[in-house]
Amino acid sequence: TDAPDPSNINYEGLDYDWTVKYKRRAISRLLWFVFMMVVLSVILAILDYNNSLPSTESCDMEYSKDYVTSGNATSTEIDCYCYDLSTEKLLQERDTCKEYIEERSMLTGFLVLSSFFSACVSLVMGLLGPILAKYEEHNVRTRTELTVMSRLFYGYFLLSGVLV
């Protein structure tokens, strides 16, 4: 095989023997794995909360105000009634639709939170990936860049793939 181009050699990495490099890579990979598991657990918690909210997709009937306020309506039927109201009417019916309004407000808050979380994680990944790859002290810079690229690819894939 050909020798690497002199501009591609990481001369600082040549000072370390293979055992030190192996330990550094193991620590770096472990830290990246822990970071990704924390990110994944937060994303799954947000999605789990979103899925726990009542769905309005099954609203195939319109319910009257009298039926909803009679005390015979289930929470799903009340949600369907509130879902069909305009914003103005929803505010007028806030006593009846209190739970619906709270659930939708929480959902909106969690969507904003997940967007903010996603942006922050992207920023942290962009900073942490190169730091950990440099800590591994690869012999050639190409290998360091490949490590950064692959970690960021899998991290962004996890972040966007699970949220979508």
Side-chain angles (χ1 to χ4, degrees):
T1 63
D2 295 333
D5 187 68
S7 64
N8 193 22
I9 297 174
N10 182 16
Y11 291 101
E12 294 86 15
L14 298 176
D15 294 337
Y16 299 96
D17 69 345
W18 69 272
T19 56
V20 173
K21 287 182 183 182
Y22 180 79
K23 288 176 187 175
R24 285 175 162 254
R25 288 179 188 151
I27 291 169
S28 175
R29 289 176 182 154
L30 179 66
L31 289 173
W32 188 259
F33 178 77
V34 168
F35 176 70
M36 287 288 102
M37 289 301 103
V38 169
V39 167
L40 183 63
S41 63
V42 171
I43 289 171
L44 291 177
I46 291 170
L47 291 175
D48 184 51
Y49 177 78
N50 183 28
N51 292 335
S52 72
L53 293 175
S55 173
T56 54
E57 293 175 1
S58 61
C59 297
D60 54 356
M61 286 182 61
E62 287 191 24
Y63 299 96
S64 68
K65 181 180 179 179
D66 294 333
Y67 174 70
V68 170
T69 56
S70 70
N72 296 327
T74 65
S75 64
T76 303
E77 292 170 338
I78 295 172
D79 285 346
C80 289
Y81 169 76
C82 297
Y83 177 73
D84 289 333
L85 296 176
S86 67
T87 305
E88 185 179 318
K89 286 236 184 218
L90 189 62
L91 291 174
Q92 291 172 357
E93 299 285 333
R94 75 176 139 246
D95 291 336
T96 306
C97 299
K98 182 179 179 185
E99 285 184 38
Y100 175 81
I101 293 170
E102 288 174 358
E103 290 167 353
R104 294 300 148 194
S105 298
M106 289 293 288
L107 176 61
T108 302
F110 273 109
L111 290 175
V112 169
L113 177 69
S114 67
S115 298
F116 180 73
F117 178 74
S118 176
C120 290
V121 167
S122 294
L123 180 68
V124 170
M125 281 192 317
L127 296 172
L128 188 62
I131 290 170
L132 290 177
K134 186 166 174 46
Y135 173 77
E136 292 179 13
E137 295 294 348
H138 295 283
N139 288 338
V140 291
R141 292 187 175 121
T142 306
R143 182 67 185 154
T144 303
E145 294 300 318
L146 182 65
T147 301
V148 171
M149 181 197 65
S150 62
R151 285 185 181 167
L152 291 180
F153 172 79
Y154 291 117
Y156 291 134
F157 178 78
L158 175 75
L159 185 64
S160 62
V162 172
L163 280 177
V164 174

